Amino acid sequence: MIERAEILHWLHEDDPERLAGLWRRADDMRRRVMGDEVQLRGLIEVSNHCVRRCAYCGIRAGSPVTRYRMSPLEIFECALQATALGYGTVVLQAGEDPGLDAETVSETIRAIRKRTPLAITLSLGERDDKELAAWRQDGADRYLLRFETSNRALYDRIHPARGLETSDRIALLGRLRALGYETGGGVMVGLPGQTLDDLADDVEMFARLDLDMIGVGPYLPHPATPLAAEARPDWDSELMTYRMVALARLACPGANIPGTTALATVNRTDGRELALARGANVLMPNLTPTRYREHYEIYPDKACLRETATVCDGCLRGRLQAIGRTVGEGRGDARREARNEP
Ligand code: 5AD
Ligand code: FES
């Protein structure tokens, strides 16, 4: 476990030579617990319809993007491509889209389960417990739901409730775990009003929730959203994201931690590589058909917008080889036995 005082110390540390000590500790822990294999998870952005109005997100309800929803057959074809490329997991991600009805999702999960060896991760927002239970029964293995920030007041500001129900993603993550999902959470770094104390709380929350997957990325303002007008903290959100990746590894040694697309977007040269050298062990190549990709614009100027799945696959393998890491085989489940590593 890592103590709060130590978390705060590293969040405040600015000296590159001393920070190298944090990177080394996180990288050692990653190598010891997860090995040198990098898991590739194929991301399929299955729908950009969304009923929510998150203040940061470019596909929020009312945003002027062209909406699309993939058919079960289109999704299945992407899953076949994931298998062909040798990936062990597909991630079905969407806005919060009731038009993506429970039965259609079930059908899609069952088809992938029956005809491929893939682990299935869902990332479909806050859905009914009944739906989540049914999808788990159908064969979904994992669920990703970032809690975005553990600061409740900030969360309420950026993630307004829908109607009368309050949104409690922390509680929902607990229910997902109880349903037998491997659970993934995470946060954005550099939100307007976010403090280093908030980030320390986030790291403690990763450990408290005992997460299997932790996604951390820099917040990137989208001009068509209300949050874009607000001033951001004066620290460097790219560097702060690396600190958070490293601290996430120390707090949750056995978790799967990606070098996120948002990091690749702020640093196209080596954002992903730096994350992989500082605690991360996963990359999420985009398998969404290129005709839909540009419409899944949660933030502007996303990396790999026009590259096909095959191009990204070749690019990522080359990048991994260049930094002496190998591509993982199989599903790449979290290491539950590593939970209580020192
Ligand atoms: N900048 C960075 N990350 C974003 N996300 C959504 N909008 C943005 C943005 N503007 C992240 C959220 C969400 C995940 C799918 O993408 O953390 O949970
Ligand atoms: Fe997509 Fe490099 S990973 S082009």
Side-chain angles (χ1 to χ4, degrees):
M1 253 325 287
I2 176 162
E3 300 289 331
R4 183 179 180 87
E6 202 182 349
I7 296 171
L8 274 169
H9 161 80
W10 286 121
L11 290 172
H12 282 95
E13 181 58 71
D14 262 330
D15 179 77
E17 275 170 36
R18 285 198 293 266
L19 270 176
L22 173 62
W23 312 147
R24 196 173 327 107
R25 260 182 72 189
D27 196 42
D28 285 348
M29 181 72 90
R30 184 275 307 158
R31 186 178 309 104
R32 190 154 63 81
V33 178
M34 309 305 283
D36 277 335
E37 295 194 335
V38 173
Q39 301 296 328
L40 301 180
R41 322 275 206 208
L43 176 67
I44 314 174
E45 295 154 334
V46 300
S47 162
N48 73 347
H49 288 265
C50 193
V51 294
R52 292 241 172 217
R53 289 177 192 276
C54 300
Y56 49 86
C57 182
I59 63 168
R60 66 203 295 271
S63 193
V65 290
T66 305
R67 302 286 169 172
Y68 72 89
R69 184 179 297 121
M70 289 171 66
S71 71
L73 182 62
E74 288 177 304
I75 301 169
F76 181 71
E77 281 169 353
C78 288
L80 288 184
Q81 189 174 21
T83 318
L85 291 169
Y87 303 164
T89 300
V90 278
V91 182
L92 311 189
Q93 185 167 90
E96 225 159 278
D97 176 14
L100 197 62
D101 62 283
E103 189 43 44
T104 306
V105 175
S106 285
E107 210 180 287
T108 310
I109 294 167
R110 289 195 293 256
I112 297 174
R113 171 88 313 143
K114 192 159 163 209
R115 294 175 210 283
T116 78
L118 294 165
I120 302 170
T121 303
L122 301 178
S123 181
L124 305 175
E126 295 161 60
R127 304 283 304 227
D128 280 352
D129 287 13
K130 266 210 300 280
E131 299 176 324
L132 298 168
W135 297 335
R136 174 77 191 121
Q137 288 300 312
D138 292 321
D141 303 280
R142 310 186 183 128
Y143 207 97
L144 294 178
L145 184 75
R146 289 195 186 173
F147 55 85
E148 314 298 0
T149 172
S150 51
N151 176 331
R152 184 72 222 191
L154 178 56
Y155 180 78
D156 287 341
R157 207 141 49 70
I158 65 172
H159 190 90
R162 211 152 62 85
L164 292 176
E165 23 170 324
T166 56
S167 155
D168 190 342
R169 289 188 168 194
I170 309 268
L172 185 47
L173 283 165
R175 297 202 298 282
L176 286 162
R177 160 62 52 78
L179 286 169
Y181 284 100
E182 272 196 25
T183 53
V187 297
M188 286 180 285
V189 174
L191 290 164
Q194 192 175 41
T195 65
L196 297 187
D197 269 302
D198 294 335
L199 294 180
D201 290 341
D202 294 342
V203 174
E204 292 192 304
M205 186 62 80
F206 298 156
R208 193 167 324 136
L209 291 172
D210 195 18
L211 294 175
D212 301 297
M213 300 166 286
I214 303 169
V216 182
Y219 160 63
L220 300 164
H222 188 299
T225 60
L227 208 62
E230 292 190 36
R232 284 174 284 148
D234 59 8
W235 24 267
D236 171 346
S237 67
E238 182 191 350
L239 180 58
M240 197 59 80
T241 299
Y242 300 130
R243 293 186 185 91
M244 288 294 284
V245 165
L247 293 168
R249 172 61 65 205
L250 297 177
C252 301
N256 280 309
I257 301 178
T260 54
T261 305
L263 258 180
T265 299
V266 288
N267 178 351
R268 284 176 147 75
T269 314
D270 61 357
R272 279 176 287 229
E273 285 89 337
L274 286 171
L276 290 173
R278 297 167 176 184
N281 71 315
V282 170
L283 294 175
M284 297 173 71
N286 197 331
L287 295 177
T288 312
T290 41
R291 65 183 175 283
Y292 295 134
R293 254 187 228 196
E294 61 178 306
H295 305 308
Y296 203 86
E297 200 193 44
I298 53 183
Y299 47 78
D301 203 23
K302 224 162 135 193
C304 301
L305 211 55
R306 271 165 252 293
E307 284 75 9
T308 63
T310 321
V311 169
C312 287
D313 183 70
C315 172
L316 292 178
R317 285 176 196 272
R319 285 167 181 265
L320 289 177
Q321 198 167 24
I323 58 170
R325 301 279 279 274
T326 54
V327 175
E329 304 279 338
R331 298 162 40 111
D333 292 326
R335 304 284 160 91
R336 302 208 53 100
E337 71 277 13
R339 295 283 124 156
N340 297 315
E341 292 263 333

